[in-house]
Short mmCIF file of all heavy atoms in Angstrom, two decimals:
data_model
loop_
_atom_site.label_atom_id
_atom_site.label_comp_id
_atom_site.label_asym_id
_atom_site.label_seq_id
_atom_site.Cartn_x
_atom_site.Cartn_y
_atom_site.Cartn_z
N ASP N 1 90.53 109.98 101.29
CA ASP N 1 90.35 110.00 99.84
C ASP N 1 91.34 108.99 99.26
O ASP N 1 92.09 108.33 99.99
CB ASP N 1 90.55 111.40 99.26
CG ASP N 1 91.89 112.03 99.65
OD1 ASP N 1 92.85 111.29 99.96
OD2 ASP N 1 91.98 113.27 99.65
N ALA N 2 91.35 108.87 97.94
CA ALA N 2 92.19 107.86 97.30
C ALA N 2 93.67 108.11 97.60
O ALA N 2 94.44 107.16 97.82
CB ALA N 2 91.94 107.85 95.79
N GLU N 3 94.08 109.35 97.62
CA GLU N 3 95.49 109.66 97.87
C GLU N 3 95.90 109.23 99.28
O GLU N 3 96.97 108.64 99.48
CB GLU N 3 95.73 111.15 97.68
CG GLU N 3 97.18 111.56 97.89
CD GLU N 3 97.42 113.05 97.67
OE1 GLU N 3 96.44 113.77 97.36
OE2 GLU N 3 98.57 113.49 97.82
N GLY N 4 95.06 109.54 100.26
CA GLY N 4 95.38 109.16 101.63
C GLY N 4 95.42 107.66 101.83
O GLY N 4 96.31 107.12 102.50
N LEU N 5 94.46 106.95 101.26
CA LEU N 5 94.42 105.50 101.40
C LEU N 5 95.60 104.84 100.71
O LEU N 5 96.10 103.79 101.17
CB LEU N 5 93.10 104.95 100.85
CG LEU N 5 91.88 105.24 101.71
CD1 LEU N 5 90.59 104.88 100.96
CD2 LEU N 5 91.94 104.46 103.04
N ALA N 6 96.08 105.43 99.63
CA ALA N 6 97.24 104.86 98.94
C ALA N 6 98.50 104.92 99.80
O ALA N 6 99.47 104.21 99.54
CB ALA N 6 97.47 105.60 97.62
N GLY N 7 98.48 105.73 100.86
CA GLY N 7 99.63 105.81 101.75
C GLY N 7 99.77 104.63 102.69
O GLY N 7 100.81 104.50 103.35
N LEU N 8 98.76 103.78 102.75
CA LEU N 8 98.87 102.60 103.60
C LEU N 8 99.68 101.54 102.86
O LEU N 8 99.27 101.08 101.79
CB LEU N 8 97.47 102.07 103.96
CG LEU N 8 97.43 101.02 105.08
CD1 LEU N 8 96.09 101.08 105.80
CD2 LEU N 8 97.64 99.61 104.54
N GLU N 9 100.81 101.17 103.42
CA GLU N 9 101.70 100.21 102.77
C GLU N 9 101.85 98.92 103.55
O GLU N 9 102.60 98.03 103.15
CB GLU N 9 103.06 100.87 102.53
CG GLU N 9 102.98 102.07 101.59
CD GLU N 9 104.32 102.73 101.35
OE1 GLU N 9 105.29 102.38 102.06
OE2 GLU N 9 104.40 103.59 100.45
N LYS N 10 101.15 98.78 104.68
CA LYS N 10 101.17 97.53 105.44
C LYS N 10 100.23 96.52 104.77
O LYS N 10 99.17 96.91 104.26
CB LYS N 10 100.67 97.76 106.87
CG LYS N 10 101.20 98.99 107.56
CD LYS N 10 102.61 98.83 108.04
CE LYS N 10 103.04 100.02 108.90
NZ LYS N 10 104.45 99.92 109.32
N PRO N 11 100.57 95.24 104.77
CA PRO N 11 99.60 94.24 104.32
C PRO N 11 98.28 94.41 105.07
O PRO N 11 98.27 94.62 106.29
CB PRO N 11 100.28 92.91 104.67
CG PRO N 11 101.75 93.23 104.64
CD PRO N 11 101.85 94.64 105.18
N LEU N 12 97.17 94.32 104.34
CA LEU N 12 95.86 94.69 104.89
C LEU N 12 94.84 93.60 104.63
O LEU N 12 94.77 93.06 103.51
CB LEU N 12 95.39 95.99 104.24
CG LEU N 12 93.96 96.46 104.53
CD1 LEU N 12 93.79 96.83 106.00
CD2 LEU N 12 93.60 97.65 103.64
N MET N 13 94.05 93.27 105.66
CA MET N 13 92.86 92.45 105.47
C MET N 13 91.66 93.23 105.97
O MET N 13 91.63 93.66 107.13
CB MET N 13 92.94 91.11 106.18
CG MET N 13 91.75 90.19 105.88
SD MET N 13 91.97 88.48 106.38
CE MET N 13 91.80 88.64 108.16
N LEU N 14 90.71 93.45 105.09
CA LEU N 14 89.44 94.08 105.44
C LEU N 14 88.39 93.00 105.64
O LEU N 14 88.39 91.98 104.93
CB LEU N 14 89.00 95.03 104.33
CG LEU N 14 89.89 96.25 104.08
CD1 LEU N 14 89.64 96.82 102.70
CD2 LEU N 14 89.66 97.30 105.15
N VAL N 15 87.50 93.23 106.59
CA VAL N 15 86.41 92.30 106.88
C VAL N 15 85.13 93.10 106.95
O VAL N 15 85.09 94.16 107.60
CB VAL N 15 86.64 91.55 108.21
CG1 VAL N 15 85.51 90.56 108.47
CG2 VAL N 15 88.00 90.84 108.21
N ALA N 16 84.06 92.64 106.29
CA ALA N 16 82.83 93.43 106.25
C ALA N 16 81.63 92.54 106.01
O ALA N 16 81.74 91.43 105.47
CB ALA N 16 82.92 94.49 105.15
N GLY N 17 80.47 93.06 106.39
CA GLY N 17 79.20 92.47 106.01
C GLY N 17 78.64 93.25 104.83
O GLY N 17 78.72 94.49 104.80
N SER N 18 78.06 92.56 103.87
CA SER N 18 77.58 93.25 102.66
C SER N 18 76.37 94.12 102.92
O SER N 18 76.00 94.95 102.08
CB SER N 18 77.25 92.22 101.57
OG SER N 18 76.10 91.45 101.92
N ALA N 19 75.73 93.97 104.09
CA ALA N 19 74.58 94.80 104.44
C ALA N 19 74.94 95.86 105.50
O ALA N 19 74.04 96.44 106.11
CB ALA N 19 73.43 93.93 104.95
N ASP N 20 76.23 96.12 105.70
CA ASP N 20 76.66 97.09 106.70
C ASP N 20 76.09 98.47 106.35
O ASP N 20 76.40 99.04 105.29
CB ASP N 20 78.19 97.16 106.74
CG ASP N 20 78.73 97.96 107.91
OD1 ASP N 20 78.05 98.90 108.36
OD2 ASP N 20 79.84 97.66 108.37
N ASP N 21 75.26 99.01 107.24
CA ASP N 21 74.68 100.33 107.01
C ASP N 21 75.21 101.36 108.01
O ASP N 21 74.65 102.45 108.14
CB ASP N 21 73.15 100.27 107.05
CG ASP N 21 72.61 99.73 108.37
OD1 ASP N 21 73.40 99.51 109.31
OD2 ASP N 21 71.37 99.51 108.46
N VAL N 22 76.29 101.03 108.70
CA VAL N 22 76.95 101.97 109.61
C VAL N 22 78.21 102.51 108.94
O VAL N 22 78.32 103.69 108.63
CB VAL N 22 77.27 101.31 110.96
CG1 VAL N 22 78.04 102.28 111.87
CG2 VAL N 22 75.99 100.85 111.65
N SER N 23 79.17 101.63 108.71
CA SER N 23 80.35 102.02 107.95
C SER N 23 80.09 101.98 106.46
O SER N 23 80.87 102.56 105.68
CB SER N 23 81.54 101.11 108.30
OG SER N 23 81.89 101.24 109.65
N GLU N 24 79.03 101.33 106.06
CA GLU N 24 78.55 101.22 104.68
C GLU N 24 79.48 100.36 103.81
O GLU N 24 80.64 100.71 103.61
CB GLU N 24 78.31 102.60 104.05
CG GLU N 24 77.26 103.40 104.79
CD GLU N 24 76.96 104.74 104.14
OE1 GLU N 24 77.43 104.97 103.00
OE2 GLU N 24 76.24 105.56 104.77
N TYR N 25 78.91 99.27 103.35
CA TYR N 25 79.71 98.30 102.61
C TYR N 25 80.34 98.90 101.36
O TYR N 25 81.52 98.63 101.06
CB TYR N 25 78.84 97.09 102.25
CG TYR N 25 79.60 96.01 101.51
CD1 TYR N 25 80.64 95.32 102.14
CD2 TYR N 25 79.28 95.69 100.19
CE1 TYR N 25 81.34 94.33 101.47
CE2 TYR N 25 79.98 94.68 99.53
CZ TYR N 25 81.01 94.01 100.17
OH TYR N 25 81.71 93.02 99.51
N ASP N 26 79.62 99.72 100.62
CA ASP N 26 80.20 100.33 99.42
C ASP N 26 81.42 101.17 99.77
O ASP N 26 82.40 101.22 99.00
CB ASP N 26 79.17 101.18 98.69
CG ASP N 26 78.10 100.35 97.98
OD1 ASP N 26 78.31 99.12 97.83
OD2 ASP N 26 77.07 100.93 97.58
N ALA N 27 81.39 101.83 100.92
CA ALA N 27 82.54 102.64 101.34
C ALA N 27 83.72 101.75 101.73
O ALA N 27 84.88 102.09 101.46
CB ALA N 27 82.14 103.54 102.50
N ILE N 28 83.43 100.61 102.37
CA ILE N 28 84.52 99.69 102.72
C ILE N 28 85.15 99.13 101.44
O ILE N 28 86.37 98.95 101.36
CB ILE N 28 83.98 98.57 103.62
CG1 ILE N 28 83.48 99.16 104.95
CG2 ILE N 28 85.07 97.52 103.90
CD1 ILE N 28 82.71 98.20 105.81
#
């Protein structure tokens, strides 16, 4: 959830395909 994700303090790069239907792009 938002609270848990806010606990990540390491620099982050996310990579995704806009048509991802497994992890789902909107969720990424």
Side-chain angles (χ1 to χ4, degrees):
D1 54 24
E3 181 179 0
L5 288 170
L8 193 152
E9 297 180 350
K10 317 283 188 183
L12 172 66
M13 185 167 73
L14 296 160
V15 182
S18 69
D20 190 330
D21 58 6
V22 176
S23 297
E24 298 184 10
Y25 182 64
D26 287 346
I28 297 170

